[in-house]
């Protein structure tokens, strides 16, 4: 469904049907943004759209897309680039959890994860960056992870790429009126682990609340921060990871994988 044009800003959120993406959609709606909701499950997207339009009196457009599919991704990119219906905030949140280590996994699954976690971020950020720079305003949020600061398989590598890519894009867009923020959360209480078949590791204090996480990130976006690390515990962990020898980081990562 295509909503009528309004004067409200519009936010497009990928992976919007649950977890952090759903919370981004909810908080942006509460701030008065119309929404474009992207995920693979139409029934869940329709339910989120109905919930948020009823609660916040905004419009919500639903785009069903598997971002590992190039044609589907291109359709989302075209919506981001649509000058007649501008997207003011892009949240690249779509995730891809995996149960197996790289060499134990099917390479086709690894390729699909790579496409969702990195290629989709690249393609949608390009579409948004060009369109937003021409308008002289806009916000891009790329959901990365604290995992990007360690060395733990292809997921860790993909998230390291997202953070570095976001930093580079932020520099390219400096002074244009467009900001880029990489959100780097740690463990977060969502259904991500359950859907990926992954147990919830670590002590309770390491687990973040998604409401506070997204609120803190949007505050950082408002302040123009390029890297947003929610939670004092993870700020301390990331600060430590930046200075300890990489050999030590790799050895600790081996224990985490086990």
């Amino acid at each position: 469904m295509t909503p009528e044009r309004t004067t409200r800003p519009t936010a497009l959120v990928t992976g919007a049907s649950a977890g952090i993406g759903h919370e981004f959609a909810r908080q942006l709606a509460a701030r008065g943004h119309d929404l474009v909701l992207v995920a693979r499950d139409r029934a869940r997207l329709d339910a989120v759209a109905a919930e948020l339009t009823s609660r916040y009196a905004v419009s919500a457009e639903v785009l069903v897309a598997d971002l590992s599919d190039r044609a589907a991704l291109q359709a989302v990119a075209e919506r981001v680039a649509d000058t007649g219906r501008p997207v003011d905030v892009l949240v690249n949140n779509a995730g891809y959890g995996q149960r197996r280590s790289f060499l134990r996994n099917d390479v086709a699954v690894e390729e699909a994860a790579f496409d969702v976690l990195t290629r989709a971020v690249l393609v949608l950020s390009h579409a948004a960056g060009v369109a937003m720079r021409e308008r002289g305003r806009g916000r891009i949020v790329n959901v990365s992870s604290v995992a990007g600061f360690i060395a733990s398989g292809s997921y860790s590598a993909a998230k390291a790429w997202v953070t570095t890519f976001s930093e580079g894009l932020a520099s390219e867009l400096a002074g244009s009126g467009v900001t880029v923020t990489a959100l780097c959360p740690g463990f977060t209480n969502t259904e991500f682990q359950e859907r990926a078949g992954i147990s919830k590791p670590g002590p309770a204090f390491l687990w973040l609340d998604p409401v506070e996480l997204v609120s803190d990130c949007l505050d950082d976006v408002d302040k123009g921060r390029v890297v947003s690390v929610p939670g004092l515990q993870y700020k301390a962990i990331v600060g430590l990871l930046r200075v300890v020898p990489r050999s030590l980081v790799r050895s600790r990562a081996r224990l985490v994988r086990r």
Side-chain angles (χ1 to χ4, degrees):
M1 55 184 176
T2 301
E4 294 182 3
R5 179 77 181 274
T6 72
T7 57
R8 290 188 294 267
T10 297
L12 185 147
V13 183
T14 68
S17 60
I20 292 174
H22 183 189
E23 187 58 31
F24 264 112
R26 189 192 68 78
Q27 291 195 29
L28 287 164
R31 288 180 168 213
H33 288 68
D34 287 334
L35 301 169
V36 182
L37 306 173
V38 181
R40 293 179 298 171
D41 189 322
R42 175 174 289 280
R44 296 189 73 170
L45 279 179
D46 286 342
V48 172
E51 169 204 346
L52 297 180
T53 55
S54 173
R55 185 172 182 181
Y56 298 107
V58 298
S59 67
E61 177 183 350
V62 166
L63 283 181
V64 179
D66 179 349
L67 298 184
S68 67
D69 179 273
R70 294 200 170 195
L73 174 59
Q74 183 58 34
V76 179
E78 289 171 2
R79 176 63 185 87
V80 172
D82 188 341
T83 57
R85 297 178 295 159
V87 169
D88 304 278
V89 179
L90 168 66
V91 181
N92 278 312
N93 165 77
Y96 202 111
Q98 301 185 67
R99 298 180 62 182
R100 297 180 178 179
S101 62
F102 177 67
L103 295 180
R104 292 180 180 274
N105 213 1
D106 189 311
V107 72
V109 175
E110 290 288 341
E111 287 180 306
F114 184 86
D115 284 343
V116 172
L117 297 176
T118 60
R119 188 175 187 276
V121 173
L122 183 148
V123 170
L124 298 183
S125 293
H126 187 274
V130 170
M132 291 176 179
R133 183 170 60 182
E134 289 180 356
R135 294 194 301 271
R137 67 184 187 280
R139 304 286 181 262
I140 298 172
V141 180
N142 293 327
V143 179
S144 185
S145 173
V146 166
F149 296 97
I150 63 175
S152 183
S154 56
Y155 180 84
S156 175
K159 292 304 186 180
W161 181 89
V162 170
T163 301
T164 302
F165 168 75
S166 300
E167 290 179 301
L169 182 58
S171 296
E172 185 172 351
L173 290 169
S176 69
V178 183
T179 66
V180 183
T181 301
L183 169 61
C184 299
F187 297 136
T188 306
N189 281 307
T190 70
E191 62 180 54
F192 177 82
Q193 282 76 22
E194 179 182 348
R195 295 185 75 182
I198 303 169
S199 62
K200 291 180 67 172
F205 79 88
L206 286 178
W207 287 84
L208 299 169
D209 175 68
V211 176
E212 294 180 5
L213 182 157
V214 171
S215 178
D216 289 348
C217 176
L218 291 176
D219 286 346
D220 284 344
V221 170
D222 291 341
K223 295 171 185 174
R225 288 182 176 161
V226 176
V227 178
S228 174
V229 180
L232 292 176
Q233 65 275 54
Y234 286 108
K235 286 180 172 62
I237 290 169
V238 169
L240 183 62
L241 289 170
R242 290 183 185 276
V243 297
V244 299
R246 291 299 292 176
S247 59
L248 180 59
V249 173
R250 290 192 294 271
S251 68
R252 297 300 95 185
R254 285 195 294 272
L255 292 177
V256 171
R257 283 199 300 275
R258 294 194 189 105

